[in-house]
C-alpha cells in the first residue's frame, strides 16, 4: 500500500514538473499588425541585386585560366596530393579485382551489343583511362555496362541485321562495328556539349522510380537477348516496337531446335557462378577480396572447351579468333549521324543518369563532392575518344563499382590499374580465349542481372509508399518492354512530366481554422480542435497557382466557401437591371406628365399672344441670374446633397435586394505555397477580388514570399483597388485585421496584435 502511494506521489510530481516545463516553453510576442507595405518599411526591403554570371565567362586572367584548367582536368588537383603510403596498396588490389571482373564482362557485353568480343576489351581500356584523367568520382568503375550494351545492340541489330548464312557474317560485323563506334562518338559529342553548357541538371527529370523501372525493363531485354546463346538458336533480327515480344515468340517456336551441348554448358556455368556468388556473400567478412567467379569460370570453360573440342563434337559456338594488339584510330562516318542522333541522345542521357546516381551515392558515403557537369564532360570524352578507337558507348557498372569500393579503392588509380591489366590481355593474352563458349558469356550476363531483376520488389514497396511513383515505374517498364529502349525512355519522361502537371492540378485545398490560444491555423477537416474564425474564411492550396490550375483554384475556393458566388452575382445583376428598368419607366412617366402639363399650359397661354419684347428680355435676365451661383455656394450644395444621399438607403446591397448574405465578411487567401505567379494567376486573383467584393466580402492575402511579391508588382497587380495593404505578413495578421475592421477597407487604423 505504501509503495503504491509513493508511486502515485512520484507520478503527480512528474506531471506537475512536465506542466511547468510546458508552461515555460510558452512564448508571448506583442508587435504591430503588419501588412506588406508596413513590413517593407520596417525591414527596409529592396529587391535582391541580379547577378550576371555570364560576364565572368569573358574575363581572362592567369588565375581564371588556372582555375578552368583544374576544373576541367581534376587529376591535376588530387594526384599531386595522393597519399602513396596510405592508398596505393588498396588501389592496386582494387584495380586488379575490377580488372578480373572487367575481362569476362567486356567479352560478354560485346556480344550483348551485337559485336565481336574483342571490342568489349577495347571498350574496357580506352574509356577507363580517359575517365581517370577527367572524372570527379573516386569510386565508380567506368566501362562496359549491360544497359548501355543492350541499347547499342538494339541499334546495331536494327540498322545492320544479322544474316543466317556465315558468308556475310564478316561484313555484318564490320558494319556493326562502324555503327557502334560512330554512335559512341555521337554520344560523346552530346555529353561533352551538355556538360560545357552546364546542362547536368537534365538528369533531375529522371526520377528514381523512372530509372529503376527503366533498368528493370532493360534487364528483361538483356535476358531475352541472351536466350539465343543459351539454347544455340539462330533467330531473325527484330527492331522497333514489340520486337521483344516477337523474339520471345520465336524462341518458344524454335526451342525443339536447341543444341543440347550449348544448353548444358550454359546451365553448368550459371550454377557455378551462382554458387561462387553465394559463397562470396557468406564469406564476405573473412575475405579481403571476393573470389573471382567469372574469371575462374571463363578459364575453366576455355580449358574444357579446348580439351573436349566442344565446338566440333557438340556444336557449341565459341568466341573465335581474338586479334592481338590495338586497332588504329578510325574516323566516324558522318553519313550515319542522321540515323543515330535520336538513339545517341537517349544513350547519352541514360549513361549519364546511371553514372551520376552511383557517383553521388559514393560521394555521400565518403564525404566528397561530384560535379555533375564535369561528369558529363568526362563521360563524353571517354565515349568520344573510345569511338575513334572503335569502342561502343560505355557508362559505369554498379557491380564493379561496389567491388572497387569494397576492395579498398580510394581513387581512380584503381581504374588506371584495371585498364593497364586489360591492355596486357589485349596485347598478349586475348588469343587464349578463342575457344571460350559463347554460352558461358551468356550465363555470366544472366547471373549478373540478378540485382536488377530484384527490382521487381519495388512494386510492393511503392504500392505501400507512393502509388503515383508506382504508376511511373509500371508505365516506364511496360513502355520500355513494348516500344524498345529509346521510345520507352521518351514515353517514360513525357508521362512523368504529365503526371507532375496533373498532380499540381489536383492539390489539397483546405479551409483553415485557428487552434485554441495560438496563432497557428490548420485544416478544420484534419484537426478537430481547429475552429473557423467567425466572420472570416481562410483558404489555402498545397500547390502553387499557375495557368494549369488557376481556374480549378477559383472553383475550389468558391465551393469551399459554401456560397454560390456566381449564382449570387447573377441574381444581383438581374435585380439591379430590373430596378434600372423600373426607374426608367418612372422617369418616362414623369416626363410624359410634365409634357402633358406643359402642353396644357401652352394651350392656355397661346390665347395671349401679344406679349411685349421687354417682358421676354426681363424674363431671360431673371433666368440667367438664377443660374449664376457663387463658387462658395457650390460645395455647400454638394455637401448637402451628399448628406441626403448618405441618408438615403443603398438599394444595391444584398440586404436591400432581398438576397442571402454570406456568413462571413472577410476572405483570407493563404498564399504561402506560391513559388511563382504567371499572368493567368494574376488575372485569377483579380477576378477573385472582384467577385467577392460583389457579394460584399473583403479579400485579403497573406504569407507571400518576397519573390512572389516582386512578381506581383512586375505584373501590375497592385492598383488603386488592390494595394499592398491587402497583403499581410502572416495569416494571423490578416485575420486580426479582418476582425478589427469587419466592413471597412484596409486604410483604417492599424492596431497591435498579440500572439
Amino acid at each position: 500500500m505504501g509503495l503504491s502511494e509513493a508511486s502515485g506521489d512520484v507520478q503527480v510530481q512528474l506531471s506537475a514538473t512536465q506542466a511547468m516545463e510546458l508552461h515555460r516553453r510558452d512564448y508571448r510576442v506583442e508587435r504591430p499588425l503588419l501588412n506588406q507595405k508596413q513590413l517593407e518599411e520596417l525591414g527596409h526591403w529592396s529587391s535582391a541585386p541580379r547577378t550576371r554570371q555570364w560576364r565572368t565567362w569573358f574575363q581572362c586572367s592567369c588565375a581564371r585560366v588556372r582555375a578552368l584548367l583544374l576544373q576541367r582536368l581534376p587529376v591535376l588537383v588530387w594526384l599531386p596530393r595522393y597519399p602513396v603510403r596510405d592508398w596505393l596498396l588498396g588501389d592496386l588490389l582494387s584495380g586488379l579485382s575490377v580488372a578480373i571482373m572487367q575481362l569476362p564482362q567486356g567479352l560478354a557485353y560485346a556480344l550483348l551489343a551485337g559485336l565481336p568480343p574483342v571490342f568489349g576489351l577495347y571498350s574496357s581500356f580506352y574509356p577507363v583511362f580517359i575517365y581517370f584523367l577527367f572524372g570527379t568520382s573516386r569510386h565508380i568503375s567506368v566501362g562496359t555496362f549491360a544497359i548501355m550494351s543492350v541499347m547499342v545492340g538494339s541499334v546495331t541489330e536494327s540498322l545492320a541485321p544479322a544474316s543466317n548464312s556465315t558468308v556475310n557474317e564478316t561484313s555484318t560485323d564490320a558494319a556493326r562495328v562502324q555503327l557502334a563506334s560512330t554512335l559512341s562518338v555521337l554520344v560523346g559529342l552530346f555529353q561533352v556539349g551538355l556538360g560545357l553548357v552546364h546542362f547536368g541538371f537534365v538528369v533531375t527529370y529522371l526520377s528514381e522510380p523512372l530509372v529503376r523501372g527503366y533498368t528493370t525493363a532493360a534487364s528483361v531485354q538483356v535476358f531475352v537477348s541472351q536466350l539465343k546463346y543459351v539454347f544455340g538458336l539462330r533467330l531473325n533480327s527484330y527492331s522497333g516496337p514489340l520486337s521483344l515480344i516477337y523474339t520471345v515468340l520465336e524462341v518458344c517456336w524454335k526451342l525443339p531446335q536447341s543444341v543440347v551441348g550449348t544448353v548444358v554448358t550454359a546451365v553448368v556455368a550459371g550454377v557455378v557462378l551462382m554458387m561462387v556468388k553465394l559463397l562470396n556473400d557468406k564469406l564476405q567478412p573473412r575475405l579481403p577480396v571476393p573470389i573471382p567467379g567469372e574469371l575462374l569460370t571463363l578459364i575453366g570453360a576455355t580449358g574444357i572447351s579446348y580439351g573436349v573440342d566442344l565446338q566440333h563434337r557438340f556444336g557449341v559456338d565459341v568466341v573465335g579468333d581474338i586479334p592481338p594488339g590495338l586497332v588504329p584510330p578510325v574516323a566516324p562516318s558522318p553519313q550515319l549521324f542522321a540515323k543515330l542522333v535520336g538513339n545517341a541522345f537517349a544513350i547519352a542521357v541514360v549513361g549519364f543518369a546511371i553514372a551520376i546516381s552511383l557517383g553521388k551515392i559514393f560521394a555521400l558515403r565518403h564525404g566528397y563532392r561530384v560535379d555533375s557537369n564535369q561528369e558529363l564532360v568526362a563521360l563524353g570524352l571517354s565515349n568520344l575518344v573510345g569511338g575513334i578507337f572503335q569502342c561502343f558507348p560505355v557508362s559505369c557498372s554498379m557491380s564493379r563499382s561496389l567491388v572497387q569500393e569494397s576492395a579498398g579503392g580510394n581513387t581512380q588509380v584503381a581504374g588506371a590499374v584495371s585498364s593497364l591489366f586489360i591492355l596486357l590481355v589485349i596485347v598478349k593474352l586475348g588469343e587464349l580465349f578463342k575457344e571460350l563458349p559463347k554460352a558461358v558469356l551468356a550465363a555470366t550476363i544472366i547471373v549478373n542481372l540478378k540485382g536488377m531483376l530484384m527490382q521487381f520488389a519495388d512494386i510492393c514497396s511503392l504500392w505501400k509508399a507512393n502509388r503515383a511513383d508506382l504508376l511511373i515505374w509500371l508505365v516506364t517498364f511496360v513502355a520500355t518492354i513494348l516500344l524498345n529502349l529509346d521510345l520507352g525512355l521518351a514515353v517514360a519522361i513525357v508521362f512523368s512530366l504529365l503526371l507532375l502537371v496533373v498532380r499540381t492540378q489536383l492539390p489539397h485545398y483546405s479551409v483553415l481554422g485557428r487552434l485554441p490560444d495560438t496563432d497557428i491555423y490548420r485544416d478544420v477537416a484534419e484537426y478537430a480542435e481547429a475552429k473557423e474564425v467567425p466572420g472570416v474564411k481562410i483558404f489555402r492550396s498545397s500547390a502553387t497557382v499557375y495557368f494549369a490550375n488557376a481556374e480549378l483554384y477559383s472553383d475550389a475556393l468558391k465551393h469551399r466557401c459554401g456560397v454560390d458566388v456566381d449564382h449570387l452575382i447573377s441574381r444581383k445583376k438581374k435585380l439591379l437591371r430590373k430596378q434600372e428598368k423600373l426607374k426608367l419607366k418612372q422617369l418616362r412617366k414623369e416626363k410624359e406628365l410634365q409634357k402633358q402639363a406643359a402642353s396644357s399650359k401652352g394651350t392656355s397661354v397661346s390665347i395671349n399672344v401679344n406679349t411685349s419684347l421687354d417682358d421676354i428680355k426681363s424674363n431671360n435676365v431673371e433666368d440667367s441670374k438664377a443660374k449664376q451661383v457663387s463658387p462658395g455656394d457650390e460645395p455647400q450644395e454638394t455637401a448637402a446633397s451628399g448628406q441626403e444621399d448618405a441618408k438615403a438607403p443603398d438599394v444595391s446591397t444584398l440586404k436591400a435586394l432581398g438576397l442571402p448574405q454570406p456568413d462571413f465578411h472577410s476572405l483570407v487567401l493563404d498564399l504561402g505555397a506560391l513559388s511563382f505567379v504567371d499572368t493567368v494567376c494574376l488575372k485569377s486573383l483579380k477576378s477573385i477580388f472582384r467577385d467577392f467584393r460583389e457579394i460584399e466580402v473583403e479579400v485579403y492575402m497573406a504569407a507571400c514570399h518576397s519573390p512572389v511579391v516582386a512578381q506581383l508588382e512586375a505584373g501590375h497587380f497592385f492598383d488603386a483597388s488592390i494595394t499592398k495593404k491587402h497583403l499581410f505578413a502572416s495569416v494571423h495578421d490578416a485575420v486580426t485585421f479582418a476582425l478589427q475592421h469587419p466592413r471597412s477597407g484596409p486604410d483604417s487604423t492599424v492596431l497591435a496584435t498579440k500572439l
Side-chain angles (χ1 to χ4, degrees):
M1 188 72 177
L3 289 173
S4 62
E5 290 178 356
S7 62
D9 294 339
V10 170
Q11 290 179 355
V12 169
Q13 290 177 359
L14 286 174
S15 60
T17 305
Q18 291 173 354
M20 289 180 65
E21 288 180 357
L22 289 173
H23 184 69
R24 287 172 185 169
R25 291 175 192 168
D26 291 347
Y27 69 93
R28 298 182 182 276
V29 178
E30 186 170 350
R31 62 170 176 81
L33 190 151
L34 296 173
N35 57 37
Q36 183 64 30
K37 185 177 180 182
Q38 295 165 335
L39 181 64
E40 292 175 2
E41 293 173 354
L42 179 66
H44 300 286
W45 177 83
S46 62
S47 59
R50 293 183 178 180
T51 57
R52 293 180 173 87
Q53 193 175 3
W54 58 269
R55 290 181 177 179
T56 62
W57 298 349
F58 303 101
Q59 296 175 358
C60 186
S61 64
C62 294
R64 178 161 173 74
V65 170
R66 183 176 180 275
L68 188 62
L69 180 64
L70 295 178
Q71 180 186 2
R72 295 304 177 193
L73 205 61
V75 69
L76 298 178
V77 178
W78 61 266
L79 192 59
R81 305 173 186 173
Y82 184 77
V84 177
R85 293 183 179 179
D86 298 332
W87 287 0
L88 183 59
L89 181 61
D91 282 337
L92 287 174
L93 292 175
S94 175
L96 290 174
S97 302
V98 170
I100 290 170
M101 288 186 67
Q102 183 88 277
L103 174 61
Q105 288 185 3
L107 296 171
Y109 293 157
L111 287 181
L112 195 56
L115 304 172
V118 68
F119 291 94
L121 297 180
Y122 299 152
S123 302
S124 303
F125 168 64
Y126 292 105
V128 178
F129 194 76
I130 297 298
Y131 186 83
F132 163 77
L133 300 174
F134 294 95
T136 60
S137 176
R138 294 178 358 210
H139 293 90
I140 66 172
S141 174
V142 173
T144 56
F145 185 49
I147 305 300
M148 302 289 286
S149 299
V150 75
M151 293 181 78
V152 175
S154 66
V155 176
T156 57
E157 290 181 3
S158 62
L159 297 180
S163 176
N164 290 330
S165 63
T166 57
V167 178
N168 297 325
E169 189 173 349
T170 304
S171 61
T172 301
D173 288 343
R176 288 185 174 184
V177 168
Q178 187 182 29
L179 279 170
S181 60
T182 304
L183 181 64
S184 182
V185 170
L186 201 53
V187 168
L189 289 174
F190 272 124
Q191 290 176 333
V192 171
L194 293 175
L196 291 177
V197 298
H198 289 216
F199 210 65
F201 70 90
V202 71
V203 74
T204 58
Y205 294 106
L206 303 178
S207 63
E208 185 180 359
L210 188 149
V211 172
R212 292 178 71 87
Y214 184 78
T215 53
T216 306
S219 64
V220 174
Q221 295 257 15
V222 172
F223 178 82
V224 172
S225 68
Q226 296 306 295
L227 293 179
K228 63 181 179 180
Y229 298 111
V230 171
F231 295 103
L233 301 174
R234 289 191 175 274
L235 305 179
N236 295 319
S237 254
Y238 298 101
S239 61
L242 301 180
S243 59
L244 184 73
I245 308 300
Y246 296 144
T247 303
V248 172
L249 292 176
E250 188 176 3
V251 168
C252 295
W253 182 259
K254 291 186 176 180
L255 271 181
Q257 304 174 18
S258 301
V259 179
V260 178
T262 302
V263 175
V264 172
T265 303
V267 170
V268 171
V271 170
V272 170
L273 286 170
M274 289 295 294
M275 291 177 63
V276 173
K277 284 187 177 292
L278 291 174
L279 192 62
N280 278 329
D281 292 339
K282 288 187 177 181
L283 300 178
Q284 185 179 5
R286 302 178 185 177
L287 294 175
V289 177
I291 300 172
E294 288 92 348
L295 182 63
L296 294 177
T297 304
L298 259 64
I299 294 173
T302 304
I304 294 172
S305 174
Y306 178 76
V308 181
D309 194 9
L310 293 178
Q311 182 180 13
H312 297 99
R313 292 182 61 185
F314 299 99
V316 177
D317 284 340
V318 296
V319 169
D321 291 332
I322 298 178
L326 299 173
V327 293
V330 178
S333 177
Q335 294 84 4
L336 297 173
F337 281 2
K339 297 179 181 179
L340 300 175
V341 62
N343 293 289
F345 185 78
I347 293 172
V349 172
V350 172
F352 171 63
I354 294 168
I356 196 63
S357 58
L358 278 178
K360 286 185 175 180
I361 290 172
F362 288 120
L364 289 173
R365 188 179 300 175
H366 294 276
Y368 63 91
R369 184 177 174 274
V370 172
D371 186 352
S372 58
N373 294 308
Q374 181 59 26
E375 284 295 292
L376 257 177
V377 174
L379 276 177
L381 290 173
S382 300
N383 284 314
L384 183 61
V385 176
I388 295 173
F389 288 93
Q390 298 191 359
C391 302
F392 56 86
V394 298
S395 183
C396 75
S397 168
M398 185 182 300
S399 59
R400 291 198 310 270
S401 299
L402 292 172
V403 169
Q404 181 168 323
E405 182 206 26
S406 61
N410 295 292
T411 63
Q412 284 299 325
V413 170
V417 171
S418 68
S419 65
L420 292 175
F421 183 83
I422 296 297
L423 176 62
L424 177 64
V425 173
I426 293 172
V427 174
K428 294 292 182 183
L429 306 178
E431 57 187 8
L432 298 178
F433 292 98
K434 68 178 182 179
E435 294 294 331
L436 175 64
K438 291 183 179 179
V440 175
L441 295 177
T444 304
I445 292 172
I446 292 172
V447 170
N448 283 322
L449 291 176
K450 177 189 173 185
M452 282 186 284
L453 292 174
M454 291 293 289
Q455 291 177 159
F456 278 110
D458 291 350
I459 296 175
C460 297
S461 59
L462 289 175
W463 175 264
K464 298 175 183 177
N466 193 318
R467 294 183 183 178
D469 285 346
L470 174 62
L471 188 60
I472 293 174
W473 195 102
L474 292 174
V475 169
T476 304
F477 178 82
V478 174
T480 307
I481 290 293
L482 297 180
L483 303 178
N484 225 334
L485 293 165
D486 47 357
L487 291 176
L489 179 63
V491 169
I493 293 175
V494 171
F495 178 79
S496 180
L497 294 177
L498 286 177
L499 185 61
L500 178 64
V501 173
V502 170
R503 292 174 76 175
T504 60
Q505 285 184 311
L506 302 173
H508 178 67
Y509 298 112
S510 53
V511 174
L512 305 185
R514 182 180 175 184
L515 295 178
D517 301 324
T518 68
D519 64 331
I520 300 172
Y521 295 82
R522 292 293 182 266
D523 189 353
V524 294
E526 296 176 354
Y527 289 79
E529 291 298 320
K531 304 298 181 184
E532 289 191 53
V533 180
V536 181
K537 190 75 70 172
I538 311 165
F539 182 76
R540 180 175 66 190
S541 169
S542 63
T544 191
V545 183
Y546 67 113
F547 69 92
N549 63 0
E551 186 177 354
L552 298 173
Y553 178 86
S554 299
D555 294 342
L557 169 63
K558 294 173 182 178
H559 175 71
R560 293 297 182 94
C561 285
V563 179
D564 194 343
V565 179
D566 297 330
H567 181 64
L568 193 58
I569 292 174
S570 65
R571 288 182 61 189
K572 180 181 177 180
K573 288 181 177 179
K574 285 181 181 178
L575 292 174
L576 288 175
R577 282 196 296 268
K578 286 183 180 179
Q579 285 186 352
E580 290 294 328
K581 289 179 180 179
L582 290 174
K583 285 182 180 179
L584 288 174
K585 286 182 180 179
Q586 290 177 356
L587 288 173
R588 286 173 183 171
K589 286 181 180 179
E590 289 177 359
K591 286 183 179 180
E592 288 176 358
L593 291 173
Q594 289 176 358
K595 285 181 180 179
Q596 290 175 2
S599 63
S600 62
K601 286 181 181 180
T603 52
S604 61
V605 173
S606 63
I607 299 171
N608 188 10
V609 294
N610 297 321
T611 306
S612 64
L613 184 62
D614 295 333
D615 294 336
I616 295 173
K617 289 181 179 179
S618 63
N619 290 334
N620 290 336
V621 170
E622 289 175 0
D623 291 340
S624 62
K625 287 181 180 178
K627 290 179 182 178
Q628 290 176 358
V629 181
S630 63
D633 296 336
E634 187 175 354
Q636 294 177 1
E637 291 180 4
T638 306
S641 64
Q643 290 176 0
E644 290 176 0
D645 291 340
K647 290 177 184 177
D650 188 1
V651 295
S652 64
T653 62
L654 296 176
K655 186 176 181 180
L657 294 171
L659 295 175
Q661 294 177 283
D663 59 353
F664 56 96
H665 54 76
S666 300
L667 171 66
V668 177
L669 302 178
D670 183 0
L671 303 180
L674 262 65
S675 57
F676 68 93
V677 291
D678 58 5
T679 55
V680 179
C681 175
L682 295 178
K683 291 179 181 178
S684 178
L685 289 175
K686 283 198 171 188
S687 67
I688 289 171
F689 270 84
R690 183 184 63 250
D691 292 346
F692 277 90
R693 283 174 174 176
E694 281 284 335
I695 61 172
E696 301 168 13
V697 174
E698 187 57 48
V699 183
Y700 303 102
M701 301 180 297
C704 272
H705 302 293
S706 294
V708 176
V709 177
Q711 291 173 9
L712 291 173
E713 286 184 323
H716 305 289
F717 176 76
F718 298 110
D719 52 20
S721 61
I722 306 173
T723 66
K724 285 189 177 181
K725 295 179 181 179
H726 289 88
L727 176 58
F728 290 86
S730 68
V731 174
H732 190 65
D733 286 291
V735 171
T736 305
F737 184 89
L739 291 175
Q740 292 171 355
H741 310 87
R743 294 292 177 187
S744 60
D747 293 321
S748 305
T749 307
V750 176
L751 304 179
T753 177
K754 295 182 180 180
L755 308 184

